[in-house]
Amino acid sequence: MPKVRIDDTLEMHYELDDFTDPWTRPETFLLVHGIGRHSGVWYAWVPRLARRFRVIRPDLRGFGQSSAVTPGFQWSVEGIARELKTLLDALNVDRVHYVGSMGAATFGLQFAHQYPERVRSLTCCTGPARIAEPDLSAVGGVDRIEKEGMVPWVQGQMDRRLGSQVPAGMKEWFVQHLLSSSRETVTSLEAYFKTIDLRPVLPQIKTPTLAIFAQHHLMSLEAAIGQYKAIPGVRLLVLPSTGYDVSVAMADRCVDAVLDFVDS
């Protein structure tokens, strides 16, 4: 159970997957999970990536096996980016291919802006630079969790999260995966998330960027694509998914796209 001491309040758990040839010096992927998830959400990505690359999968503060969020903790995208950088420093990793899903795609935009020298490439799966209140309300968010609890929030959105093309077993697994997170952590980070607006920094991101969207997106697909078009040279990909969480629902298609992007 490897952990790195980030600061006085956080020991960050991470998984390191490396099945590369021992005489090579592979590049590193940093796979960062979204709100309510943990490092295990990347299970389908690891076999595909870890034969060619070192793969680091952290648990963000408050999730998985990392330290719980302390009372009164104030979230910030700058702080999340700094914690990830501290992890990389401790592991002596200079530069990474950053892949973020959902909220962690948004955090990745900040990471690439804040530490451009640490990012070889950036892949954002279904993560907006800014999400409007109507889009948050459509998935329930903080209000529904506070009124009804985690179970209705998770189960009630599963078809929209993963779509109709995935097996029932995957949905059952994902329900349990999401329910492993603390209600307090999810609601505090969700409440902060709706205040984030990274649109002003997008034109300043010089990192090669791939943005992956679902046909049935979390927010207006046109609006989401419009945000990312502000990143110079961004590559845009829309997958035919009926669920917005494409990194889970269409993991293999996402990995194909990421490998093609990195190789190019």
Side-chain angles (χ1 to χ4, degrees):
M1 191 171 67
K3 292 186 177 182
V4 166
R5 170 63 69 177
I6 303 298
D7 59 31
D8 291 343
T9 63
L10 174 59
E11 276 193 323
M12 181 175 285
H13 170 262
Y14 68 93
E15 297 289 345
L16 174 61
D17 308 288
D18 184 354
F19 296 94
T20 61
D21 294 324
W23 58 88
T24 62
R25 300 186 64 178
E27 296 176 353
T28 301
F29 267 82
L30 180 67
L31 306 183
V32 187
H33 64 82
I35 300 171
R37 297 153 175 79
H38 59 72
S39 56
V41 77
W42 299 104
Y43 74 92
W45 291 61
V46 172
R48 300 280 310 277
L49 295 179
R51 185 64 183 91
R52 289 181 51 192
F53 303 92
R54 296 174 73 224
V55 179
I56 299 172
R57 297 177 287 134
D59 287 334
L60 295 177
R61 180 188 292 267
F63 297 102
Q65 299 179 64
S66 290
S67 301
V69 175
T70 54
F73 179 76
Q74 298 295 310
W75 295 98
S76 72
V77 287
E78 294 85 359
I80 293 170
R82 185 167 55 251
E83 290 169 2
L84 291 171
K85 174 185 176 294
T86 302
L87 173 68
L88 297 181
D89 290 343
L91 299 179
N92 295 312
V93 176
D94 182 34
R95 302 175 70 204
V96 297
H97 298 284
Y98 182 111
V99 179
S101 172
M102 303 297 294
T106 309
F107 306 151
L109 296 171
Q110 178 66 31
F111 189 83
H113 170 66
Q114 195 166 324
Y115 304 111
E117 73 282 359
R118 307 301 294 269
V119 190
R120 294 180 183 274
S121 70
L122 171 65
T123 297
C124 298
C125 300
T126 326
R130 167 64 176 158
I131 187 165
E133 182 62 39
D135 297 303
L136 284 174
S137 298
V139 296
V142 176
D143 290 341
R144 186 170 187 185
I145 295 173
E146 291 180 341
K147 291 177 182 177
E148 303 177 19
M150 288 283 287
V151 173
W153 175 68
V154 169
Q155 294 180 334
Q157 287 297 319
M158 196 49 56
D159 286 343
R160 192 172 180 201
R161 290 179 194 275
L162 297 185
S164 58
Q165 75 270 35
V166 304
M170 174 181 275
K171 293 181 180 180
E172 293 170 2
W173 163 80
F174 201 40
V175 165
Q176 296 307 312
H177 179 91
L178 293 169
L179 289 177
S180 70
S181 295
S182 157
R183 169 176 172 167
E184 291 75 19
T185 302
V186 171
T187 54
S188 67
L189 187 48
E190 284 273 4
Y192 167 68
F193 191 76
K194 67 182 181 181
T195 72
I196 299 172
D197 187 353
L198 295 181
R199 289 174 296 180
V201 311
L202 298 185
Q204 304 171 40
I205 294 176
K206 307 306 180 186
T207 301
T209 301
L210 169 65
I212 303 178
F213 308 92
Q215 188 67 49
H216 294 266
H217 203 63
L218 175 62
M219 56 188 290
S220 159
L221 180 59
E222 181 180 2
I225 290 175
Q227 290 181 4
Y228 274 88
K229 282 183 176 179
I231 300 176
V234 66
R235 181 184 295 187
L236 305 170
L237 174 64
V238 178
L239 294 179
S241 175
T242 56
Y244 59 75
D245 198 342
V246 291
S247 67
V248 177
M250 302 192 74
D252 284 330
R253 290 285 300 273
C254 288
V255 175
D256 288 341
V258 170
L259 290 174
D260 178 69
F261 178 63
V262 169
D263 289 340
S264 67

